[in-house]
Amino acid sequence: MSQMNRRRALQLLAALGTTGFVAGCGSDSDAEPTANRSPVKIGLITPQAGGFKSIGDDITNGFQLFLDLHDQRLGGHPVELLTADEGDTAKTGKAAVDGLLKQGVLALTGVVNSAVMVGIRDTVEQARVPLIGSNASPSSLQSVFYIWRTSYVLDEAGRALGRYLRDQLPANGRVAIIVPENVGSPDVVRGFRQEFGANDPRIADPVTYTSATPNPGKTTFASDITKALAKRPTAVFCFFAGAAAIEFIKQLREKFAGPIYAPGFLTEGTVLDNLKDNALGIQTALNYSADLNNTSNRVFASAYRKKYQVTPTTYAMASYDAAQVLDQAIQLAGGEPTPQQVNLALGKIGQIDSPRGIWQFNQPRTPQQKWYLREVQRDGQVMSNVLINELATLG
């Protein structure tokens, strides 16, 4: 980290009343910001309404926190952060991208919905402007040159839990799989089966698919849950996020008191506040936990809590890292960076010192990273995703 960045981080953390090791912010390769470097525009794409809005807010907050710790600069350039609403369809996502491209952005970031990510792929590739996605990451997004992701590939969450449950579930156990009928679910299910054993008799076939609405009602999932529970499972594996996660768990808990396993999105962010005791004991796999004990996370999580008064999520962390890799790539691209130069530089930045732990981009432009097992436990008056152990390194 440069001395200027170190001083700025210390100033901000002091203003927030935060203590920590500021060495975790930024990169050892940071050069001194150049005072006369021209401003750059970065386009941030997130849902600004609906069931995924809370995830979009976390992504915005994570990116903004990195800017706060770095004098509102990336690679020494003052940043103008332009925002656009991705909506909830490929069409609205494309409109958001088109609008940002017309404003001359150097790079794009964000994107929550996998359907939106798939829908904007060709637009981004043809524009030759790098997109550093900080959430949506379907495995079908192959052979891309300008799309990078600081989050995960969806099948990895299924793989991490499949490997764990294969050994944990008793010989007479039975797991029902319940997922929404959307772009990401086949990835998660395939990854889970791959590691658990596709022909293992403990998996209750077939998979139960539910509505994929991001804003479900109080009975949206009831009939599908009844159908899945007719197989008399001893455990449930599911895949939901945001408002859908809240309603699904509430409706499931009315009929099922057994163990629940899921990718960590099920219990991230505001979901826990809404579920309260219904979330107790749920075990999830995720690439991040706010109580990871490393220098970068101590700085990030402490500053995030002080600024936003909430615990950071994987969405916020991945967006913070999106800003971090852009910072390094723009620095490498020089004084007058172009989108194409930044994109080439992204492939040269090497390891990232992240709140999740050290990671780096693999050939498909996604992270090679650790996955962790977490369990919802009571922490005083609130629920918390408590780190249990490391599950695997995937990517």
Side-chain angles (χ1 to χ4, degrees), residues 7-234:
R7 287 195 299 271
R8 175 57 186 152
L10 282 168
Q11 291 165 1
L12 179 64
L13 290 171
L16 292 171
T18 304
T19 59
F21 296 92
V22 178
C25 298
S27 159
D28 291 339
S29 64
D30 288 346
E32 291 287 339
T34 304
N36 62 354
R37 284 193 171 177
S38 58
V40 296
K41 296 178 180 179
I42 304 296
L44 177 64
I45 306 163
T46 60
Q48 297 175 8
F52 292 143
K53 180 182 182 298
S54 63
I55 298 174
D57 291 344
D58 288 351
I59 286 174
T60 300
N61 291 346
F63 200 93
Q64 186 59 59
L65 182 64
F66 186 90
L67 292 179
D68 291 346
L69 291 170
H70 294 79
D71 293 313
Q72 307 301 315
R73 291 173 179 260
L74 293 176
H77 294 260
V79 171
E80 182 181 356
L81 188 62
L82 306 176
T83 61
D85 185 2
E86 74 177 66
D88 55 11
T89 67
K91 182 177 180 180
T92 56
K94 185 178 184 304
V97 172
D98 287 341
L100 291 170
L101 291 174
K102 288 178 181 177
Q103 297 180 70
V105 294
L106 181 66
L108 300 161
T109 189
V111 187
V112 169
N113 193 322
S114 290
V116 170
M117 180 64 88
V118 172
I120 65 177
R121 168 188 170 156
D122 291 346
T123 301
V124 172
E125 292 288 302
Q126 290 166 12
R128 300 175 67 214
V129 173
L131 164 62
I132 297 82
S134 48
N135 188 57
S137 192
S139 63
S140 60
L141 207 65
Q142 300 292 331
S143 302
V144 290
F145 188 69
Y146 282 90
I147 299 177
W148 307 72
R149 287 151 284 173
T150 57
S151 49
Y152 44 75
V153 179
L154 278 171
D155 68 322
E156 294 170 359
R159 288 170 59 196
L161 270 175
R163 186 177 302 182
Y164 171 72
L165 270 181
R166 177 190 63 199
D167 299 329
Q168 293 294 316
L169 199 68
N172 62 347
R174 194 165 176 80
V175 58
I177 302 174
I178 311 175
V179 296
E181 195 167 8
N182 61 21
V183 173
S185 289
D187 287 345
V188 174
V189 173
R190 185 181 62 255
F192 181 78
R193 286 181 174 278
Q194 176 183 330
E195 295 294 336
F196 190 97
N199 298 316
D200 193 309
R202 293 176 295 174
I203 295 179
D205 282 326
V207 174
T208 300
Y209 286 95
T210 74
S211 166
T213 175
N215 295 291
K218 296 186 181 302
T219 60
T220 298
F221 305 117
S223 62
D224 293 317
I225 288 171
T226 298
K227 184 195 309 180
L229 295 182
K231 304 164 191 174
R232 300 187 180 278
T234 54

Side-chain angles (χ1 to χ4, degrees), residues 337-361:
T338 66
Q340 295 77 37
Q341 290 170 339
V342 171
N343 194 67
L344 289 172
L346 284 165
K348 302 175 182 178
I349 58 178
Q351 292 187 330
I352 308 299
D353 185 8
S354 165
R356 77 188 83 176
I358 299 293
W359 67 271
Q360 63 186 32
F361 284 119

Side-chain angles (χ1 to χ4, degrees), residues 154 178-180 182 184-186 188 237-241 248 261-263 265-266:
L154 278 171
I178 311 175
V179 296
N182 61 21
S185 289
V188 174
F237 174 81
C238 56
F239 168 58
F240 293 88
F248 175 78
Y261 302 91
F265 328 116
L266 185 75

